[in-house]
Amino acid sequence: MLPFYEIQTKDLRLFRLTKPLTFPAHMHRNIELLYVLSGVQYVRIDETEYAVHEGEAVVIFSDIVHSYLKKGDEPAEAVLLLCNPRLLGGMFPDLENVQPVNPFVAKDSIHEEAAYALRHIKKKEEFALKLGWTYVIMSHLLRRLEFAQRPRVPVRDMSQKIIEYLSANFKEPVTLDSLAAEFCVSKHYISHIFSNRIKMNLRNCLGMLRAEFAAQLIRTTDDSLSEIGSRAGFESQRTFNRVFHAKYGMSPREFRHHIRK
């Protein structure tokens, strides 16, 4: 069975696991960090299986196939952190073009500040505070990894093909008809892929990608919000405000104020 492409609707997500996680083969654009607090969690990354024990971690980069496994009755408690690589662009600008040679991080390689942050970061904290903890964690862990240039391999799964195409063309007025023409399939087949594999319709998917790009521009430029909305592909300021608020829980203006504060 082919892995499915999981759409990440948030730039930063945190889970505190109280038992071993089981999850089928999938991939997504966010960087995923698993840190085991106690017990052992099994994870398969690119066909290699790892037993991650207390105090150890794995770092899974964008579009790497991975799954979580349970074996016997072994318990596990862990922290699962998912972060959009663009959030880390200031520290590591080339994250989307590389991947770890070995995603496993041994206990003695994890700096005490990173371990402390992983144990104290909380799901319900405000975004800015969680982002601060994430910077501490990733700044230490990513420096412990050896990187290699990401290989460009053929994509077999149509859902991944569509997501990769949208990631490169979301600023354009993409429609079901234009996607069908691009991939030489029917409009109904494209619609079926969105409904059954991507689990999100085209409009919402485009809105998410555009809002994410707009958020990056708000963080890194002083451009006007109207210019940012236009550059991100939004047809109007009203649509920009509505979609951005749905994703981030605040307007673009409030987001800019929050970032500057």
Side-chain angles (χ1 to χ4, degrees), residues 158 161-163 165-167 169-194 198 200-207 209-210 233 235:
M158 178 60 80
K161 287 183 180 181
I162 291 172
I163 293 299
Y165 178 83
L166 293 180
S167 296
N169 297 278
F170 63 85
K171 301 173 192 176
E172 306 300 326
V174 182
T175 65
L176 289 175
D177 287 323
S178 67
L179 284 175
E182 174 69 24
F183 294 107
C184 300
V185 295
S186 73
K187 173 183 175 179
H188 299 293
Y189 180 69
I190 295 292
S191 181
H192 174 81
I193 292 294
F194 274 98
I198 299 177
M200 179 184 292
N201 64 36
L202 173 59
R203 184 184 64 178
N204 289 341
C205 188
L206 284 171
L209 292 169
R210 289 166 178 166
E235 59 188 20

XYZ file of all heavy atoms in Angstrom, residues 158 161-163 165-167 169-194 198 200-207 209-210 233 235:
371
model
N -0.225 9.896 -6.699
C -0.840 11.059 -7.320
C -1.099 12.170 -6.312
O -0.953 13.360 -6.629
C -2.148 10.655 -8.010
C -2.891 11.818 -8.652
S -1.947 12.688 -9.928
C -2.180 11.561 -11.316
N 2.010 14.074 -5.932
C 2.250 14.868 -7.142
C 1.438 16.161 -7.112
O 1.943 17.239 -7.448
C 1.874 14.058 -8.386
C 2.836 12.938 -8.750
C 2.370 12.281 -10.049
C 3.301 11.159 -10.455
N 2.886 10.519 -11.723
N 0.180 16.030 -6.720
C -0.691 17.201 -6.674
C -0.189 18.205 -5.642
O -0.117 19.412 -5.908
C -2.145 16.781 -6.375
C -2.726 16.014 -7.573
C -3.008 17.992 -6.043
C -4.086 15.402 -7.300
N 0.173 17.722 -4.450
C 0.648 18.618 -3.399
C 1.932 19.323 -3.832
O 2.107 20.528 -3.610
C 0.878 17.856 -2.087
C -0.461 17.357 -1.524
C 1.581 18.735 -1.061
C -1.435 18.464 -1.192
N 2.844 19.978 -6.874
C 2.479 20.949 -7.905
C 1.865 22.197 -7.264
O 2.213 23.331 -7.634
C 1.496 20.318 -8.891
C 1.038 21.273 -9.974
C 1.823 21.479 -11.110
C -0.158 21.980 -9.843
C 1.407 22.380 -12.097
C -0.569 22.876 -10.817
C 0.226 23.067 -11.941
O -0.178 23.961 -12.914
N 0.961 22.010 -6.314
C 0.331 23.146 -5.657
C 1.349 23.956 -4.851
O 1.268 25.191 -4.801
C -0.796 22.671 -4.740
C -2.016 22.051 -5.421
C -3.041 21.634 -4.384
C -2.634 23.014 -6.426
N 2.303 23.283 -4.230
C 3.327 23.985 -3.457
C 4.152 24.909 -4.333
O 4.668 25.930 -3.868
C 4.247 22.969 -2.758
O 3.525 22.208 -1.814
N 2.881 26.186 -7.302
C 2.037 27.032 -8.147
C 0.843 27.647 -7.412
O -0.099 28.114 -8.058
C 1.513 26.212 -9.329
C 2.625 25.717 -10.246
O 3.110 26.442 -11.104
N 3.031 24.462 -10.051
N 0.889 27.666 -6.074
C -0.281 28.124 -5.331
C -0.586 29.609 -5.548
O -1.700 30.070 -5.271
C -0.102 27.851 -3.833
C 1.043 28.594 -3.193
C 0.898 29.890 -2.729
C 2.276 27.974 -3.057
C 1.951 30.560 -2.143
C 3.339 28.633 -2.478
C 3.175 29.939 -2.015
N 0.380 30.378 -6.026
C 0.132 31.808 -6.268
C -0.721 32.030 -7.519
O -1.244 33.121 -7.733
C 1.462 32.552 -6.412
C 2.368 32.429 -5.197
C 3.721 33.042 -5.503
C 4.736 32.674 -4.435
N 6.097 33.186 -4.772
N -0.844 30.996 -8.334
C -1.613 31.090 -9.575
C -3.069 30.681 -9.332
O -3.380 30.007 -8.341
C -0.992 30.172 -10.640
C 0.486 30.419 -10.881
C 0.778 31.828 -11.343
O -0.063 32.398 -12.077
O 1.827 32.369 -10.957
N -3.985 31.035 -10.241
C -5.399 30.657 -10.098
C -5.643 29.198 -10.493
O -6.214 28.908 -11.551
C -6.109 31.636 -11.044
C -5.091 31.958 -12.083
C -3.760 31.955 -11.376
N -5.214 28.273 -9.647
C -5.340 26.842 -9.933
C -6.793 26.399 -9.737
O -7.451 26.790 -8.774
C -4.417 26.015 -9.014
C -4.507 24.527 -9.346
C -2.968 26.499 -9.139
N -7.295 25.547 -10.638
C -8.646 24.997 -10.542
C -8.588 23.481 -10.740
O -7.572 22.937 -11.155
C -9.572 25.599 -11.613
O -9.096 25.184 -12.907
C -9.579 27.122 -11.525
N -9.716 22.818 -10.476
C -9.786 21.382 -10.744
C -9.557 21.099 -12.226
O -8.901 20.114 -12.587
C -11.141 20.827 -10.303
C -11.402 20.743 -8.795
C -12.827 20.286 -8.531
C -10.412 19.788 -8.115
N -10.087 21.955 -13.075
C -9.910 21.775 -14.517
C -8.439 21.912 -14.923
O -7.934 21.134 -15.735
C -10.757 22.794 -15.282
C -12.239 22.472 -15.225
O -12.585 21.281 -15.272
O -13.049 23.404 -15.127
N -7.742 22.905 -14.366
C -6.333 23.097 -14.728
C -5.467 21.956 -14.188
O -4.513 21.535 -14.840
C -5.821 24.442 -14.215
O -5.778 24.489 -12.810
N -5.811 21.427 -13.007
C -5.084 20.269 -12.477
C -5.327 19.034 -13.346
O -4.397 18.263 -13.612
C -5.507 19.979 -11.037
C -4.956 20.903 -9.955
C -5.571 20.553 -8.609
C -3.439 20.799 -9.875
N -6.576 18.843 -13.760
C -6.893 17.707 -14.625
C -6.111 17.776 -15.929
O -5.572 16.767 -16.414
C -8.392 17.666 -14.902
N -5.993 18.978 -16.484
C -5.230 19.147 -17.720
C -3.741 18.917 -17.482
O -3.057 18.316 -18.309
C -5.470 20.549 -18.289
N -3.241 19.382 -16.331
C -1.818 19.228 -16.010
C -1.428 17.759 -15.908
O -0.364 17.348 -16.370
C -1.515 19.948 -14.683
C -0.104 19.749 -14.144
C 0.964 20.418 -14.985
O 0.639 21.393 -15.709
O 2.121 19.963 -14.944
N -2.298 16.933 -15.296
C -1.953 15.531 -15.050
C -2.646 14.574 -16.027
O -2.546 13.351 -15.866
C -2.292 15.158 -13.609
C -1.450 15.889 -12.596
C -1.980 16.906 -11.823
C -0.118 15.571 -12.441
C -1.206 17.587 -10.904
C 0.666 16.241 -11.519
C 0.128 17.251 -10.752
N -3.343 15.136 -17.018
C -3.982 14.321 -18.069
C -4.936 13.281 -17.493
O -4.910 12.094 -17.874
C -2.912 13.650 -18.933
S -1.816 14.807 -19.770
N -5.737 13.715 -16.540
C -6.762 12.846 -15.958
C -8.062 13.649 -15.921
O -8.090 14.836 -16.247
C -6.388 12.382 -14.537
C -5.148 11.505 -14.559
C -6.177 13.577 -13.612
N -9.143 13.012 -15.491
C -10.426 13.709 -15.450
C -10.528 14.607 -14.219
O -9.877 14.377 -13.197
C -11.576 12.700 -15.444
O -11.663 12.063 -14.186
N -11.382 15.595 -14.343
C -11.659 16.488 -13.224
C -12.222 15.713 -12.030
O -11.906 15.998 -10.874
C -12.638 17.562 -13.685
C -13.178 18.480 -12.616
C -14.183 19.447 -13.213
C -14.836 20.309 -12.149
N -15.797 21.273 -12.743
N -13.045 14.710 -12.304
C -13.656 13.914 -11.230
C -12.607 13.079 -10.496
O -12.713 12.878 -9.283
C -14.755 13.019 -11.809
C -15.872 13.778 -12.452
N -16.740 14.567 -11.740
C -16.253 13.899 -13.758
C -17.613 15.127 -12.555
N -17.339 14.736 -13.787
N -11.591 12.616 -11.214
C -10.524 11.857 -10.573
C -9.736 12.771 -9.626
O -9.391 12.377 -8.505
C -9.595 11.251 -11.621
C -8.456 10.451 -11.027
C -8.688 9.249 -10.377
C -7.142 10.918 -11.110
C -7.648 8.514 -9.822
C -6.101 10.194 -10.565
C -6.359 8.992 -9.927
O -5.324 8.289 -9.364
N -9.441 13.996 -10.069
C -8.745 14.948 -9.203
C -9.568 15.231 -7.948
O -9.053 15.252 -6.826
C -8.467 16.263 -9.959
C -7.480 16.026 -11.115
C -7.924 17.330 -9.006
C -6.082 15.681 -10.681
N -10.867 15.425 -8.135
C -11.753 15.668 -6.999
C -11.749 14.481 -6.036
O -11.762 14.650 -4.809
C -13.170 15.939 -7.504
O -14.045 16.201 -6.443
N -11.716 13.260 -6.602
C -11.670 12.040 -5.786
C -10.386 11.993 -4.958
O -10.416 11.606 -3.778
C -11.753 10.821 -6.709
C -11.583 9.515 -5.995
N -12.604 8.905 -5.303
C -10.490 8.699 -5.859
C -12.167 7.771 -4.776
N -10.889 7.629 -5.101
N -9.259 12.391 -5.533
C -7.981 12.409 -4.814
C -8.066 13.356 -3.621
O -7.634 13.027 -2.507
C -6.831 12.831 -5.752
C -6.565 11.754 -6.806
C -5.557 13.118 -4.950
C -6.028 10.463 -6.255
N -8.641 14.523 -3.831
C -8.767 15.481 -2.733
C -9.675 14.934 -1.629
O -9.368 15.064 -0.441
C -9.304 16.819 -3.251
C -8.240 17.736 -3.778
C -7.991 17.813 -5.141
C -7.479 18.509 -2.920
C -6.998 18.653 -5.635
C -6.492 19.344 -3.400
C -6.240 19.423 -4.757
N -6.198 13.322 0.152
C -5.697 14.550 0.766
C -6.602 15.000 1.905
O -6.168 15.673 2.840
C -5.543 15.651 -0.304
C -4.539 15.198 -1.381
C -5.085 16.963 0.306
C -4.361 16.156 -2.533
N -9.030 17.115 2.001
C -9.254 18.557 2.010
C -9.583 18.977 0.591
O -8.997 18.450 -0.354
C -7.983 19.269 2.497
C -8.054 20.776 2.527
S -6.473 21.540 3.019
C -6.379 21.040 4.728
N -10.511 19.912 0.418
C -10.823 20.316 -0.945
C -9.761 21.277 -1.493
O -8.923 21.796 -0.744
C -12.230 20.909 -1.049
C -12.413 22.198 -0.266
O -11.507 23.020 -0.173
N -13.601 22.374 0.305
N -9.789 21.496 -2.783
C -8.759 22.307 -3.438
C -8.742 23.726 -2.893
O -7.665 24.287 -2.645
C -8.997 22.325 -4.951
C -8.100 23.259 -5.768
C -6.631 22.901 -5.595
C -8.490 23.214 -7.248
N -9.891 24.321 -2.704
C -9.945 25.706 -2.220
C -9.260 25.845 -0.862
O -8.461 26.757 -0.641
C -11.400 26.170 -2.126
C -11.537 27.638 -1.714
C -12.982 28.032 -1.542
N -13.605 27.301 -0.449
C -14.869 27.481 -0.064
N -15.648 28.313 -0.729
N -15.366 26.784 0.943
N -9.557 24.926 0.058
C -8.949 24.999 1.387
C -7.453 24.715 1.338
O -6.672 25.310 2.087
C -9.632 24.014 2.333
C -11.034 24.459 2.699
O -11.378 25.630 2.555
N -11.847 23.527 3.162
N -7.055 23.797 0.467
C -5.640 23.468 0.330
C -4.855 24.676 -0.185
O -3.796 25.032 0.342
C -5.472 22.276 -0.610
S -3.798 21.624 -0.687
N -5.379 25.327 -1.217
C -4.735 26.532 -1.749
C -4.699 27.635 -0.696
O -3.689 28.342 -0.538
C -5.473 27.025 -2.987
C -5.248 26.248 -4.285
C -6.222 26.722 -5.356
C -3.815 26.388 -4.769
N -5.805 27.779 0.029
C -5.857 28.807 1.068
C -4.811 28.579 2.137
O -4.162 29.525 2.608
N -1.891 26.963 1.825
C -0.569 27.244 1.279
C -0.340 28.750 1.129
O 0.757 29.254 1.418
C -0.413 26.555 -0.083
C -0.365 25.020 -0.052
C -0.487 24.459 -1.469
C 0.916 24.526 0.597
N -1.355 29.464 0.686
C -1.217 30.908 0.517
C -1.073 31.607 1.869
O -0.260 32.529 2.016
C -2.427 31.445 -0.248
C -2.443 31.032 -1.714
C -3.789 31.275 -2.387
N -3.735 30.920 -3.797
C -4.812 30.772 -4.574
N -6.024 30.939 -4.060
N -4.664 30.440 -5.853
N -1.232 35.217 -3.636
C -2.219 34.644 -4.549
C -3.661 34.869 -4.171
O -4.570 34.350 -4.833
N -7.170 36.696 -4.037
C -7.843 37.549 -5.021
C -8.353 38.844 -4.420
O -8.630 39.801 -5.143
C -9.002 36.787 -5.660
C -10.040 36.308 -4.656
C -11.076 35.385 -5.255
O -10.803 34.821 -6.329
O -12.156 35.245 -4.655
